[in-house]
Amino acid sequence: MSIWRVKPVSAFEADMKKSELKKVLGKWSLTAIGVGAIIGGGIFVLTGTGAYYHAGPALAISFIIAGIACVFAALCYSEFASILPVEGSAYAYAYGTIGEIFAWIIGWGLILEYAMGSMTVAVSWSGYFNKLLKMFGIKLPEWLTSDPASYTGEGFSMNLPAFLIVLFVISILIKGTQSAAKANNLIVILKVSAIIFVIIAGAFFINIENWTPFIPEATQIIDKETTHDAYGIAGIVSGAAAIFFAYVGFDAVSTQAGEAKNPKKDVPFAIIASLLICTLLYILVSLVLTGMMNYKDFDPLGQYPDAIKAPVAYAFDIAGQAWAGYIITIAATVGLISVLMVMIMGQSRIFLGMSKDGLIPQVFSRINPISGTPKTNLMILGGVIAIVAAFTPINKLADMTSFGTLFAFTMVCVAVWILRVKQPNIERTFKVPALPVIAVCGILINTYLMINLSKEAQMLSLGWLAIGIIVYFLYGKRNAKLGKENQQ
């Protein structure tokens, strides 16, 4: 039984015909899923750190560079989605081109991306929710809002809001994809409206002098005991790496291909449309923010030490418009729910794809006949995410989410190129233009960003992949349906 065996396209087509998932998603619902995953609390946080520590007013250029870096991977995802419109995303693409061992490693990496991402978002939501309650004079006790490692008191503690929001999201997802998509559409409309409000309202308080010089001269910033190289062209590039993760999420669209009405056309459209929409919003927000506040004022040791934590809300505070902080906090709190929803939905569909292939237990591929969703899969997943989010400090592990994402992006760029060479005549309703150039750019940029993650994140992520390889040889390789079919 070869670890390099490839699942033929005909096998994927047979899976699609037998699928019990309900095809209820049109191209705009799929686009909303992409926007819902990409736009989270990051746009209200990363803008401050990106401007002060990296690019200054030229942060807008950093967002353009990061967006272009994502486009390379997005185009490759789109071509695959037009060939193999199945749940499983990059895992399925690798299984159909490179081989089972690579598919397993990518699938295992995606589990890391979505699981860690879901836990991080749940904890972030808890922080915004507590901030929102305080605005209205309500303060929950610390032992109910802190994981044991962060709790300053004695006795039992847990992050109850993080625990409850995961259960709430699971309760929506198990009712059916259509109802989940409607909830996501509503949340996306609300948070995009809030971002447009920030752009339009903030434009009235822009001081053009704050944009001069637009690209500050390269220098070093001393922050407590550490030194950062900032500004200049190098600062713009490092800013792109720092804020790149605000874009993570468009790949979630491809995990929903099994529930799309017309996946071969609509999934590529939604991947690219969601990325372009979010890139435009990010550029405009960064321009407004650096126009309202001088980038030097985000100094955590300066006149406004808390500005870097909530830069957009602070910019309106300084402009004498504190009421806008309520709108921004509400938007971030509500907006993170859709991020969590899409991440858990994506994780469950990757489990579903791997389970159908026999690489993980069959319980994850059972579809509830009434709701048309993998209900048991979602409940197991939700239970694990809720418990870990409630009792674990997630902040140190956030970079592991990025490692899994960048690894998947890199492998998709490799795999789409291999498939184009191996099977040039296969039907493709979407083709990447100048594929060798696009694929090489995607591979180089995503690998570069992976190398620039923290050493701790790299070691923990490589450790996770090593565990995955052990699990594959102990369980996946033996139980793979493809191997059993080949033996018959």
Side-chain angles (χ1 to χ4, degrees), residues 135-388:
M135 283 182 163
F136 293 96
I138 303 168
K139 187 175 181 181
L140 296 175
E142 188 189 359
W143 66 273
L144 276 181
T145 58
S146 304
D147 61 80
S150 307
Y151 184 44
T152 56
E154 295 181 0
F156 175 82
S157 72
M158 70 177 292
N159 192 333
L160 183 62
F163 182 85
L164 293 177
I165 192 61
V166 175
L167 298 187
F168 172 71
V169 165
I170 292 295
S171 71
I172 294 173
L173 293 178
I174 61 177
K175 287 180 180 177
T177 301
Q178 194 163 19
S179 58
K182 285 179 180 176
N184 179 66
N185 291 348
L186 178 61
I187 294 171
V188 166
I189 290 168
L190 290 172
K191 67 180 174 182
V192 170
S193 299
I195 290 168
I196 292 171
F197 159 78
V198 166
I199 293 165
I200 294 173
F204 290 97
F205 300 98
I206 288 174
N207 179 356
I208 295 174
E209 290 180 8
N210 288 331
W211 287 339
T212 308
F214 192 70
I215 303 177
E217 286 187 25
T219 186
Q220 286 192 325
I221 298 173
I222 299 172
D223 182 19
K224 294 183 180 177
E225 297 176 358
T226 58
T227 303
H228 303 269
D229 291 320
Y231 315 133
I233 301 301
I236 292 172
V237 175
S238 67
I243 53 89
F244 174 84
F245 312 115
Y247 285 99
V248 168
F250 69 82
D251 56 321
V253 176
S254 64
T255 67
Q256 301 303 127
E259 289 145 287
K261 294 175 184 175
N262 187 6
K264 290 192 174 187
K265 288 186 178 178
D266 292 351
V267 172
F269 172 88
I271 288 172
I272 295 169
S274 60
L275 189 55
L276 292 177
I277 290 166
C278 294
T279 300
L280 178 62
L281 292 175
Y282 283 0
I283 291 166
L284 293 174
V285 167
S286 62
L287 284 172
V288 167
L289 182 67
T290 53
M292 290 178 73
M293 267 183 84
N294 191 287
Y295 68 95
K296 293 178 182 176
D297 288 337
F298 292 113
D299 183 355
L301 303 177
Q303 185 180 356
Y304 309 108
D306 293 327
I308 201 163
K309 296 177 184 175
V312 182
Y314 230 89
F316 279 97
D317 279 348
I318 293 169
Q321 309 296 318
W323 57 273
Y326 286 84
I327 293 175
I328 293 160
T329 304
I330 291 168
T333 306
V334 175
L336 283 170
I337 295 174
S338 72
V339 181
L340 184 61
M341 191 182 297
V342 173
M343 286 205 155
I344 294 177
M345 199 189 298
Q347 166 97 71
S348 69
R349 273 34 172 200
I350 289 163
F351 273 168
L352 176 62
M354 295 177 77
S355 178
K356 277 184 176 180
D357 293 329
L359 297 177
I360 60 175
Q362 294 300 300
V363 66
F364 291 103
S365 57
R366 290 178 193 158
I367 303 295
N368 183 281
I370 298 171
S371 65
T373 60
K375 185 175 178 181
T376 308
N377 175 339
L378 283 163
M379 292 174 73
I380 295 170
L381 191 58
V384 172
I385 291 170
I387 291 167
V388 176

Side-chain angles (χ1 to χ4, degrees), residues 9-21 23 85-87 258 356:
V9 174
S10 58
F12 283 108
E13 290 171 346
D15 285 348
M16 284 184 265
K17 289 176 182 176
K18 291 187 291 183
S19 177
E20 298 174 65
L21 294 170
K23 296 186 180 296
V86 293
E87 65 280 347
K356 277 184 176 180

Side-chain angles (χ1 to χ4, degrees), residues 109-130:
L110 287 171
I111 291 170
L112 177 70
E113 171 193 346
Y114 283 98
M116 294 309 307
S118 299
M119 295 165 195
T120 306
V121 170
V123 174
S124 298
W125 182 87
S126 175
Y128 275 104
F129 179 68
N130 289 323

